[in-house]
């Protein structure tokens, strides 16, 4: 197969992969962020302590995370068909990709939020800040560098999942590698897809690490100023309630 024949296939496959991963990441962040915060809030000593709810949510997350993606994708075929009307193609692949990524991202969020200084939480509470104020003004802003790093990790994992989704006709670079590289013995094309995936993952990891380091160093350079602003903002919120 010549490059002129491979180029349109690879271009479409790259777009399909970015499309699937992009939408899956958005859904995973929207679903996983509140779930991860909730795991922290309902834990022992949390602002919404509820041991039973925490155990139930944690168990559901653990079961979902432990399921291999290829099995999850097959198990969700009926659900995927009810939403998208089909079980093949990039739109159909977004459903299992997102569902598989939500618990994965939620655990990363939980770890990131637990690293927040408890003194800030207590200070905001002492000023009359409610749970929503603590989450909005302290937990999420203070854990933002770690959340950026967690999002990067999730995107990289989703790229790998999307390649596996290609085995069942989801499209993307994984589909090209299987359909042409393996089934038609186009070894050159297969290795090109591997190289493209490696480059894309490296760029995403670099961008994510750069953003996380930038936010972290910016907070360190400001010293105690961010904490003062948080406390003032929390005070302003409680006064307006």
């Amino acid at each position: 197969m010549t490059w002129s024949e491979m180029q349109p296939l690879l271009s479409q496959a790259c777009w399909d992969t970015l499309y699937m991963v992009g939408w899956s990441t958005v859904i995973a962040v929207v679903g996983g962020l509140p779930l991860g915060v909730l795991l922290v809030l309902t834990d022992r000593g949390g602002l919404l302590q509820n041991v039973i709810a925490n155990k139930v949510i944690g168990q559901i997350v653990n079961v979902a995370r432990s399921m291999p993606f290829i099995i999850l994708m097959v198990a969700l075929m009926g659900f995927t068909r009810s939403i998208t009307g089909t079980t093949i193609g990039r739109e159909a692949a977004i459903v299992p990709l997102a569902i598989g990524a939500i618990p994965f991202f939620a655990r990363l969020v939980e770890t990131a939020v637990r690293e927040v200084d408890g003194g800030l939480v207590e200070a905001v509470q002492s000023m009359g800040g409610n749970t929503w104020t603590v989450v909005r003004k302290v937990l999420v802003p203070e854990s933002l560098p770690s959340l950026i790093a967690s999002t990067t990790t999730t995107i990289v994992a989703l790229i790998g999942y999307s390649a596996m989704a290609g085995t069942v006709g989801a499209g993307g670079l994984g589909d090209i590698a299987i359909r042409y590289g393996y089934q038609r013995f186009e070894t050159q094309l297969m290795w090109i897809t591997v190289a493209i995936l490696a480059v894309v993952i490296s760029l995403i990891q670099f961008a994510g690490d750069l953003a996380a380091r930038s936010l972290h160093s910016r907070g360190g350079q400001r010293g105690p100023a961010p904490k003062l602003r948080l406390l003032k903002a929390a005070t302003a919120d409680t006064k307006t309630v």
Side-chain angles (χ1 to χ4, degrees):
M1 181 178 288
T2 64
W3 173 249
S4 60
E5 294 173 318
M6 289 189 289
Q7 194 273 333
L9 290 173
L10 292 171
S11 297
Q12 184 61 46
C14 286
W15 167 247
D16 289 344
T17 295
L18 293 175
Y19 180 89
M20 290 186 290
V21 171
W23 278 109
S24 300
T25 300
V26 171
I27 298 171
V29 170
V30 171
L33 180 60
L35 188 59
V37 173
L38 188 62
L39 283 168
V40 176
L41 295 178
T42 58
D43 201 4
R44 294 183 186 276
L47 300 180
L48 301 175
Q49 179 174 317
N50 188 320
V51 177
I52 295 177
N54 184 267
K55 293 292 184 182
V56 172
I57 297 172
Q59 192 60 36
I60 293 173
V61 169
N62 289 339
V63 170
R65 283 186 62 199
S66 66
M67 187 174 297
F69 177 71
I70 193 71
I71 296 176
L72 178 66
M73 190 164 49
V74 174
L76 290 175
M77 279 187 172
F79 180 68
T80 300
R81 184 182 291 108
S82 67
I83 294 178
T84 64
T86 181
T87 58
I88 60 174
R90 62 186 191 181
E91 281 77 17
I94 292 173
V95 176
L97 283 172
I99 292 177
I102 287 174
F104 178 83
F105 184 67
R107 281 301 187 190
L108 296 178
V109 170
E110 180 188 11
T111 301
V113 172
R114 288 189 188 280
E115 296 174 354
V116 175
D117 184 4
L120 281 174
V121 175
E122 293 175 0
V124 173
Q125 284 184 295
S126 68
M127 293 181 179
N130 57 22
T131 301
W132 171 241
T133 301
V134 171
V135 171
R136 188 164 56 94
K137 296 293 186 179
V138 179
L139 296 183
V140 173
E142 287 295 293
S143 61
L144 192 56
S146 295
L147 292 177
I148 295 295
S150 299
T151 303
T152 304
T153 301
T154 302
I155 293 173
V156 172
L158 280 170
I159 292 174
Y161 291 165
S162 71
M164 283 189 281
T167 60
V168 292
L173 291 168
D175 178 56
I176 293 295
I178 294 295
R179 189 151 47 97
Y180 290 90
Y182 177 72
Q183 295 178 348
R184 302 186 185 182
F185 303 102
E186 295 285 351
T187 307
Q188 182 183 10
L189 182 57
M190 182 178 67
W191 284 112
I192 290 175
T193 60
V194 172
I196 292 173
L197 285 170
V199 170
V200 170
I201 289 174
S202 297
L203 290 175
I204 291 173
Q205 189 67 59
F206 174 78
D209 290 345
L210 184 64
R213 284 197 301 268
S214 176
L215 287 171
H216 184 73
S217 61
R218 190 181 305 170
Q221 292 171 357
R222 290 196 297 254
K227 295 183 179 181
L228 293 175
R229 281 197 291 273
L230 284 171
L231 297 178
K232 289 179 180 179
T235 303
D237 282 354
T238 55
K239 287 180 179 179
T240 57
V241 176

